Amino acid sequence: MIRITPVESAGDVRRFIELPHRVYATDPCWVPPLHNEIRKLLNRKKNPFFAHGEAALWLAWNGDEPVGRISAQINRLHLDRYDDATGNFGFLEAFDDQEIFDRLLATAEQWLRERGMRRAVGPYSLTINDDIGVLISGFDLPPSALMGHSPDYYAARLEGAGYRKVKDVYAYRLDISEITQPIR
């Protein structure tokens, strides 16, 4: 039985930040984010997002073990410009279980709906300028700078919850040892 709880205490925040370490424990390509950077991103006093946005965080539990996490957020600057009743979800990390994804996404969607949003787009952690999307290929490579990394089941789990891909984001690799011409 999966249960979802809001992130409210300092211990909850710690578990929220540390959960990916368990999800990616066997993934040699995952590069963990710095905990202090994630704390700053989530800090309502230090992240400028919170001057024009609001967010909520949740953990999914199986018994006493955290097995997933998610955020839901509303960016008022986006709404002022586009007037499209769109909110976002992000910080999505979970073990390979459709029920975990379904419960996390339903919780985020409900929070957004209660605030007048009619559409959820994501994952964005917290904005389109932060970690976005899920990997659909290249699982055997570490991420490029400023690009995310996710397990190979994330896209299928999101599709299983009714989401669909909207846009491709590409990262390119250049082996400078293969460059034969000087760069001018």
Side-chain angles (χ1 to χ4, degrees):
M1 178 74 179
I2 302 301
R3 66 185 167 88
I4 308 297
T5 61
V7 171
E8 298 175 328
S9 69
D12 291 341
V13 171
R14 180 183 47 76
R15 284 183 281 277
F16 187 89
I17 291 171
E18 291 175 354
L19 177 80
H21 291 271
R22 293 183 47 237
V23 172
Y24 295 94
T26 61
D27 187 339
C29 294
W30 182 62
V31 178
L34 299 172
H35 286 204
N36 286 342
E37 292 300 313
I38 299 301
R39 282 188 192 285
K40 279 195 272 185
L41 198 60
L42 298 175
N43 188 315
R44 285 164 168 67
K45 294 177 182 168
K46 293 184 178 179
N47 186 341
F49 167 80
F50 291 104
H52 57 80
E54 62 181 304
L57 310 172
W58 296 272
L59 286 165
W61 299 83
N62 185 355
D64 293 334
E65 290 295 317
V67 293
R69 72 178 195 180
I70 198 167
S71 69
Q73 56 271 355
I74 297 171
N75 185 334
R76 299 277 173 221
L77 293 178
H78 171 90
L79 294 176
D80 290 347
R81 180 171 185 162
Y82 296 102
D83 192 27
D84 61 0
T86 297
N88 303 107
F89 67 91
F91 288 103
L92 180 62
E93 302 288 359
F95 289 97
D96 189 6
D97 182 324
Q98 189 66 50
E99 182 185 1
I100 298 170
F101 280 80
D102 290 348
R103 298 285 312 277
L104 285 167
L105 290 160
T107 300
E109 291 164 3
Q110 180 62 34
W111 185 88
L112 292 168
R113 206 172 6 264
E114 290 169 357
R115 285 154 183 78
M117 301 300 106
R118 294 188 315 266
R119 186 169 76 145
V121 175
Y124 290 179
S125 304
L126 291 164
T127 72
I128 197 167
N129 297 318
D130 300 310
D131 285 348
I132 62 167
V134 296
L135 209 55
I136 59 170
S137 65
F139 301 103
D140 58 332
L141 300 168
S144 297
L146 303 176
M147 299 297 290
H149 184 79
S150 57
D152 60 359
Y153 57 86
Y154 274 34
R157 294 290 170 241
L158 284 165
E159 288 172 2
Y163 285 86
R164 64 179 174 78
K165 178 179 77 164
V166 173
K167 180 177 274 200
D168 287 318
V169 177
Y170 294 95
Y172 297 93
R173 293 192 183 274
L174 173 65
D175 183 347
I176 60 171
S177 69
E178 295 179 10
I179 297 175
T180 58
Q181 297 292 322
I183 298 175
R184 297 176 202 245

